[in-house]
């Protein structure tokens, strides 16, 4: 099971950590997973997928609990821990469920709390818009499907043949104004049809 996870490589739902050095660093990863689709952290695995193991699993669990309960707001209280042995080395598999209480913010410094989401294999700071989307979103099991009109269907049709779409591209595609286009894209994001990304200079949307 461990090797199968490692073979997947780091991604939206999987993070490798050699060790948890400080609660503030790991809290960003935990918050981003809870804010997106949940996932797992493999502690004792190098960035390249090499199993290095942890010295003391209990100490790692302690730091992770501290991070989840005191450096994430609202606290994450439902982490699950599992120790797996591989070549006489212990790897800690930490499961972070997707949260129904988004957005979660991680403490990056005294009095400085920020939201993070997973974009591919990184924990990325969320914009104000993404926070608003998170506040209104349900965990993926509770997606509220709705009948789509022509403008909404056009976004999905476009994304089936293109990797992403931006607001200006959508405005040009349907020859509609900015406010109307933006409202449609956010509505589709809130209902779970598409996903909003703001890691780059210009925000974009994907399936």
């Amino acid at each position: 099971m461990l090797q199968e996870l490692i073979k997947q490589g780091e991604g939206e739902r999987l993070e490798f950590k050699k060790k948890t050095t400080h609660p503030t660093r790991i809290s960003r990863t935990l918050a981003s997973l809870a804010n997106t689709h949940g996932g797992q952290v493999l502690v004792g695995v190098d960035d390249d997928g090499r199993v290095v193991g942890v010295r003391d699993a209990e100490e790692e669990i302690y730091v992770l609990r501290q991070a989840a309960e005191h450096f994430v707001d609202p606290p994450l209280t439902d982490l699950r821990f599992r120790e797996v042995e591989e070549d006489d080395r212990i790897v800690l598999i930490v499961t972070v469920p997707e949260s129904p209480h988004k957005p979660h913010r991680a403490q990056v410094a005294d009095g400085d709390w920020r939201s993070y989401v997973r974009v591919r294999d990184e924990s990325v700071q969320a914009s104000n818009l993404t926070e608003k989307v998170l506040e209104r979103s349900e965990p993926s099991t509770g997606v509220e499907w709705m009948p789509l009109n022509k403008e909404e269907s056009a976004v999905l049709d476009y994304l089936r043949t293109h990797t992403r779409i931006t607001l200006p591209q959508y405005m040009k595609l349907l020859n509609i104004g900015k406010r109307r286009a933006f409202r449609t894209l956010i509505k589709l994001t809130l209902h779970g049809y598409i996903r909003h990304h703001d890691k780059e200079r210009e925000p974009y949307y994907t399936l």
Side-chain angles (χ1 to χ4, degrees):
M1 175 198 172
L2 178 62
Q3 282 305 322
E4 283 174 18
L5 276 174
I6 292 172
K7 276 176 193 167
Q8 290 174 23
E10 289 187 295
E12 189 180 82
R13 298 173 189 248
L14 190 62
E15 172 94 359
F16 299 161
K17 288 279 181 199
K18 235 170 143 177
K19 58 181 179 178
T20 52
T21 48
H22 194 276
T24 53
R25 306 247 347 235
I26 194 67
S27 65
R28 299 176 203 184
T29 301
L30 300 178
S32 71
L33 289 168
N35 279 336
T36 314
H37 297 297
Q40 292 174 310
V41 183
L42 305 185
V43 185
V45 176
D46 211 340
D47 284 343
D48 60 6
R50 191 168 49 94
V51 173
V52 293
V54 295
R55 269 195 197 168
D56 186 340
E58 288 303 317
E59 188 180 325
E60 297 288 348
I61 291 171
Y62 175 77
V63 173
L64 285 153
R65 284 199 193 282
Q66 287 289 305
E69 293 173 20
H70 301 291
F71 292 82
V72 176
D73 182 49
L76 299 171
T77 55
D78 52 357
L79 300 190
R80 297 194 301 276
F81 303 96
R82 184 175 169 202
E83 294 175 35
V84 177
E85 192 170 332
E86 174 98 4
D87 296 330
D88 295 326
R89 294 185 175 99
I90 297 293
V91 171
L92 190 62
I93 301 177
V94 186
T95 301
V96 185
E98 182 180 354
S99 173
H101 307 296
K102 305 171 187 178
H104 291 269
R105 296 178 178 89
Q107 184 178 0
V108 295
D110 283 345
D112 187 358
W113 296 78
R114 303 181 189 183
S115 296
Y116 289 84
V117 291
R118 289 293 283 186
V119 178
R120 298 190 185 91
D121 59 352
E122 292 184 40
S123 298
V124 177
Q125 190 177 329
S127 67
N128 290 336
L129 170 63
T130 302
E131 281 204 350
K132 289 190 180 77
V133 171
L134 290 172
E135 280 169 15
R136 296 183 57 186
S137 69
E138 296 288 329
S140 25
T141 50
V143 170
E144 180 191 342
W145 298 106
M146 61 178 183
L148 300 180
N149 63 30
K150 197 167 141 188
E151 289 180 5
E152 293 156 356
S153 297
V155 180
L156 303 187
D157 290 341
Y158 182 88
L159 286 173
R160 287 187 187 106
T161 54
H162 300 76
T163 53
R164 60 171 72 181
I165 192 169
T166 63
L167 179 61
Q169 284 172 336
Y170 179 52
M171 289 162 59
K172 188 176 176 185
L173 181 70
L174 286 181
N175 194 26
I176 57 175
K178 186 174 183 179
R179 184 185 292 270
R180 188 164 153 193
F182 184 71
R183 200 164 55 232
T184 299
L185 290 171
I186 290 304
K187 183 180 175 186
L188 287 169
T189 303
L190 290 171
H191 282 80
Y193 283 93
I194 60 174
R195 293 164 59 197
H196 172 84
H197 304 273
D198 47 21
K199 179 185 173 186
E200 296 173 14
R201 193 160 53 88
E202 184 176 35
Y204 62 93
Y205 301 82
T206 65
L207 283 178

